[in-house]
Amino acid sequence: MWQTKNLHVIQDKLSESLLFVAADIKGLYPNLRRDIVQRILSRTLEKHSKLFADAWEAILQLNNVCLSNVITQFESNFYIQDKGIVTGDNHSVTLANITVHYILEPYSLVTEKAEIFRRFIDDIVWLSFGSDNMKDIRDTLENAFTSASLELTFRETSTIEADGSVEFLDVHQCVTPNKKYGFIIKDFVKATAEHWCFISGLSHHPSSTFKSIVLGEAIRMRRLNECNDDLQSALIRLRNITLRLASPRTWCKT
């Protein structure tokens, strides 16, 4: 979509290298300072809600109580996390998302130098032409998150690297010199998810559940694989997984 929409702009820049950079926030949840969360939550309520100040204060106090009193059990022991926010708690993702949004907000003019700049909670990716733009964005992000006591790790490649690639979540951006824009995308499977599976074929879900899961995965793979050969390989991988989990009672054997 980006290639099609910006065709006339991209063609003027193809003489420069196109850089792909992915950034991860190291340990976002345990390292997120609660005073920063409270300050940003207060700003969010002030900017986006129609509540009175007393209501904001009540929400902030309740949030602080929740962050300070989450009890986690491991085996026979119980723990209370004394800093950061608990990964997987009911509102942790929302708090993290709001906080990272406001950490980045003052630097929007810099991130707009990228052709594409996207963030999903604690994962960031951008595409930009020329090393100067890339360095400017990277340095700005490092400074922004350092000021919030957070650290970024980066992965990067560019179209001048013959076999370079950068993964972002389930998308693999692969440098391909013989392509018009110098790269293609395909689906990416993390090393920790190589033996991923769906629900067991022995479960008692209706057959429509199995069909919808596999159909949804096939659609996702069609969306992520730009080239037909990569799509066919992904579909074969999907077929092998579903047959491995199938039982004689499920649709997979018919």
Side-chain angles (χ1 to χ4, degrees), residues 3-18:
Q3 293 173 359
T4 304
K5 183 179 178 182
N6 299 283
L7 179 62
H8 61 290
V9 177
I10 298 170
Q11 286 180 331
D12 294 338
K13 298 180 178 180
L14 285 179
S15 58
E16 299 181 74
S17 59
L18 180 61

Side-chain angles (χ1 to χ4, degrees), residues 75-192:
E75 295 179 345
S76 60
N77 299 315
F78 295 88
Y79 303 88
I80 293 180
Q81 189 166 315
D82 59 2
K83 64 179 182 178
I85 60 179
V86 177
T87 305
D89 195 26
N90 291 335
H91 65 326
S92 289
V93 172
T94 302
L95 290 176
N97 197 28
I98 291 171
T99 304
V100 176
H101 170 80
Y102 278 102
I103 289 173
L104 288 173
E105 188 183 45
Y107 308 100
S108 58
L109 291 178
V110 177
T111 57
E112 284 173 3
K113 293 181 180 180
E115 300 298 320
I116 295 177
F117 186 92
R118 296 287 184 269
R119 178 184 66 84
F120 184 77
I121 315 297
D122 56 345
D123 294 291
I124 299 169
V125 67
W126 78 87
L127 279 65
S128 60
F129 283 101
S131 57
D132 290 342
N133 277 341
M134 186 276 288
K135 187 176 185 307
D136 195 10
I137 297 170
R138 176 170 176 159
D139 290 347
T140 299
L141 293 184
E142 282 189 315
N143 291 334
F145 284 97
T146 297
S147 66
S149 303
L150 295 168
E151 184 182 348
L152 291 175
T153 58
F154 294 92
R155 304 180 303 280
E156 61 186 70
T157 189
S158 74
T159 49
I160 62 174
E161 299 180 26
D163 57 351
S165 65
V166 165
E167 76 280 0
F168 175 71
L169 302 178
D170 59 350
V171 182
H172 206 181
Q173 300 162 113
C174 302
V175 175
T176 312
N178 63 343
K179 293 295 180 180
K180 186 174 183 179
Y181 300 105
F183 76 101
I184 60 169
I185 63 169
K186 58 179 74 174
D187 72 302
F188 177 74
V189 181
K190 292 184 178 181
T192 54

Side-chain angles (χ1 to χ4, degrees), residues 19-37:
L19 294 103
F20 310 84
V21 187
D24 299 323
I25 305 172
K26 249 178 122 175
L28 173 62
Y29 295 94
N31 292 319
L32 204 53
R33 282 170 41 192
R34 293 180 182 178
D35 62 309
I36 294 178
V37 173

